Amino acid sequence: MTAPTSSTDVARASRLEGELRLPGDKSISHRALMLALLATGESTIRGAGDGADVRSTAGIVMALGGEVRRSAAPAGNADYDVRSDGAPRQPAGILACANSGTSLRLFAGILAGHPVRAVLDGDASLRGRPMARIIEPLRSMGATVEGSDADSHPPLTVTGRSPLRAIDWSTPVPSAQVKSAILLAGLRAEGVTTVRESVATRDHTERMLRARGIPVRTERGEGGGTVIRIEGGAAMQARDEQVPGDPSAAAFWLVAGAIHPAAELRLRDVGVNPTRRAVIDLLVRMGASIEETPVSDPLTEGEPIADLVARSSDLTALELSPAETAAAIDEIPILCLAATQASGRTVIRGAGELRHKESDRIAGIVDGLRALGARIESRGDDIVVDGPTALRGAVVDSHGDHRLALTFAIAGLVADGHTTIGDAASVSVSYPTFFDDLERIRS
Ligand code: S3P
């Protein structure tokens, strides 16, 4: 495996062609490991993503008493066998989440309902990310949760309480991590815990809890949102999981295929869960040629999957509403790149949450794509892109953010000359084999 350490150079490709299998879905991999810790017995997870974020979660499962065996799987993925007695044990040291917000927020929810005291910490990026959004509901449920810096940043010290109080909580910003933290705490609450969200966020936690015998109901809320209810006290059943390819990783190749003039990229076994597929539908609305063939696999029955083929396309600009932006939140950087090659003005409304990801992604994408010659700017919480613009290679900074590094690497495949990406090693957070895949499909 190539492991770029500092700057990485990507030259314009004359052709993009080939078939790829993607990293196992990061969101599902985290949850499969966490739920394996909460189930009694042995769980097998096949095809989990092997990026640094999922490895952080596996490390924490071990620190909390899970017996974890990891082995290499095809496409740079990992298989896991996890044995657990169903309850997290008091950890000996700090629980290291590194760059992973999903590890930190979801484990905070898990630990809130167990008789342990644990410190969750992360790297400089994670220490800068907002945590009041999980601290407040978990405190309302009766757990003691303390952060640093006016109580809203990691490290977080969680002192669990059993049982917790059930709450009825409306999430202030659409966030699957916040929803999941509350639902995982709700497993240990007396009665029914309710989470209301104004825009439906990814629903893997709900699907995976149901598949493990936990009573979780989802109803339509007012104005397009959802209401999720979980009944506390049920026992988690161990279950085997086959993790689908990550649609957020697929998005990079879908855009590469669409914007490169000589491209045909085939992506196998991609997760197309309705709460994750917005990027595919938005690209198709922009005119991208994406062929989708559903795949039936009994092992991934809980999550729909498909093979996708992306071919060179003429794109047109699009306006995204705040709800559409929220539905494609992890794919906004790569959609901005697509917009630089689309005719007309693309407006991405209500993207403010991007400032609170692994880096300030609005600043990072605007600076990086501008350095490559794009016409892009931020206006408050909106991003405005005028296209099409011929990109030219330059030096760009990914700010240690995997989704920015991946976006700039794809930009390098269509920009004239060479694009040099600072801090490209961050791709290993979600897609450690990315540069190997890139070499395989380019000429
Ligand atoms: C994730 C939820 C999203 C997403 C992140 C993964 C998850 O974060 O950006 O990459 O697995 O639940 P938010 O909940 O902060 O929107």
Side-chain angles (χ1 to χ4, degrees):
M1 184 177 84
T2 332
T5 46
S6 48
S7 292
T8 297
D9 211 70
V10 178
R12 182 180 166 85
S14 53
R15 185 166 184 80
L16 301 178
E17 190 172 12
E19 183 174 291
L20 293 169
R21 280 187 187 275
L22 299 152
D25 187 278
K26 185 155 82 72
S27 293
I28 295 175
S29 304
H30 281 298
R31 288 158 170 81
L33 284 160
M34 292 172 181
L35 298 185
L37 173 71
L38 298 180
T40 306
E42 184 149 339
S43 307
T44 302
I45 304 160
R46 300 257 168 265
D50 201 28
D53 275 8
V54 175
R55 284 194 183 215
S56 294
T57 285
I60 294 172
V61 167
M62 283 193 264
L64 293 172
E67 278 173 48
V68 178
R69 263 185 304 133
R70 177 190 158 278
S71 51
N77 285 317
D79 291 341
Y80 284 96
D81 290 303
V82 182
R83 179 174 282 282
S84 174
D85 62 10
R89 228 182 282 146
Q90 172 62 43
I94 285 176
L95 302 174
C97 303
N99 198 238
S100 176
T102 307
S103 309
L104 195 143
R105 292 192 176 119
L106 271 58
F107 273 119
I110 288 173
L111 294 169
H114 290 270
V116 296
R117 182 172 188 277
V119 180
L120 292 153
D121 202 359
D123 64 9
S125 153
L126 190 54
R127 281 186 170 195
R129 296 180 65 184
M131 294 297 151
R133 52 186 68 186
I134 56 160
I135 293 175
E136 286 166 16
L138 296 179
R139 278 185 185 159
S140 303
M141 295 178 86
T144 305
V145 188
E146 285 151 342
S148 66
D149 303 340
D151 238 10
S152 57
H153 292 101
L156 290 194
T157 305
V158 181
T159 309
R161 178 188 141 129
S162 178
L164 293 168
R165 277 190 296 274
I167 53 169
D168 185 329
W169 197 263
S170 298
T171 53
V173 281
S175 166
Q177 291 177 358
V178 173
K179 170 180 68 178
S180 300
I182 300 170
L183 294 177
L184 291 168
L187 282 170
R188 305 275 299 170
E190 272 179 324
V192 176
T193 296
T194 304
V195 183
R196 299 171 193 272
E197 46 183 14
S198 57
V199 176
T201 61
R202 65 193 69 193
D203 64 356
H204 306 301
T205 303
E206 298 91 302
R207 286 174 187 249
M208 294 173 76
L209 285 173
R210 263 183 226 122
R212 287 159 179 77
I214 306 295
V216 178
R217 274 172 295 138
T218 304
E219 296 153 22
R220 202 176 279 277
E222 285 155 32
T226 52
V227 180
I228 307 106
R229 297 182 209 277
I230 182 168
E231 230 173 278
M236 181 95 59
Q237 293 155 13
R239 189 184 194 274
D240 294 345
E241 187 85 32
Q242 171 75 45
V243 182
D246 196 324
S248 300
F252 296 101
W253 301 118
L254 295 177
V255 170
I259 66 176
H260 193 281
E264 183 172 304
L265 295 175
R266 296 175 176 273
L267 310 176
R268 301 291 308 274
D269 296 339
V270 184
V272 288
N273 174 317
T275 60
R276 292 292 295 287
R277 56 167 300 128
V279 63
I280 302 172
D281 300 330
L282 290 167
L283 285 168
V284 168
R285 259 165 65 196
M286 292 175 82
S289 158
I290 299 175
E291 199 181 296
E292 182 174 339
T293 311
V295 175
S296 82
D297 179 341
L299 286 173
T300 56
E301 60 185 331
E303 292 280 350
I305 56 176
D307 290 338
L308 303 175
V309 185
R311 298 187 177 89
S312 314
S313 312
D314 289 324
L315 299 183
T316 35
L318 198 65
E319 291 218 4
L320 269 69
S321 67
E324 288 169 333
T325 301
I329 195 73
D330 288 342
E331 292 77 53
I332 296 300
I334 192 67
L335 282 170
C336 287
L337 173 63
T340 69
Q341 304 307 302
S343 1
R345 169 164 289 187
T346 293
V347 184
I348 297 170
R349 296 197 194 284
E353 259 303 284
L354 285 182
R355 299 192 199 280
H356 307 297
K357 295 292 178 185
E358 285 84 328
S359 71
D360 176 346
R361 285 187 179 154
I362 295 188
I365 199 69
V366 168
D367 289 352
L369 290 180
R370 263 203 199 151
L372 296 170
R375 288 174 285 152
I376 176 169
E377 62 181 42
S378 61
R379 294 186 188 162
D381 283 347
D382 299 345
I383 305 173
V384 180
V385 190
D386 288 303
T389 308
L391 303 180
R392 45 181 159 65
V395 178
V396 286
D397 189 352
S398 69
H399 301 279
D401 183 323
H402 57 128
R403 299 209 194 274
L404 294 184
L406 291 159
T407 298
F408 298 145
I410 300 296
L413 293 172
V414 297
D416 273 341
H418 287 257
T419 298
T420 304
I421 305 145
D423 239 347
S426 61
V427 302
S428 66
V429 158
S430 63
Y431 198 159
T433 55
F434 173 78
F435 285 103
D436 296 337
D437 283 352
L438 184 145
E439 288 309 321
R440 193 169 322 131
I441 53 94
R442 68 164 299 146
S443 50

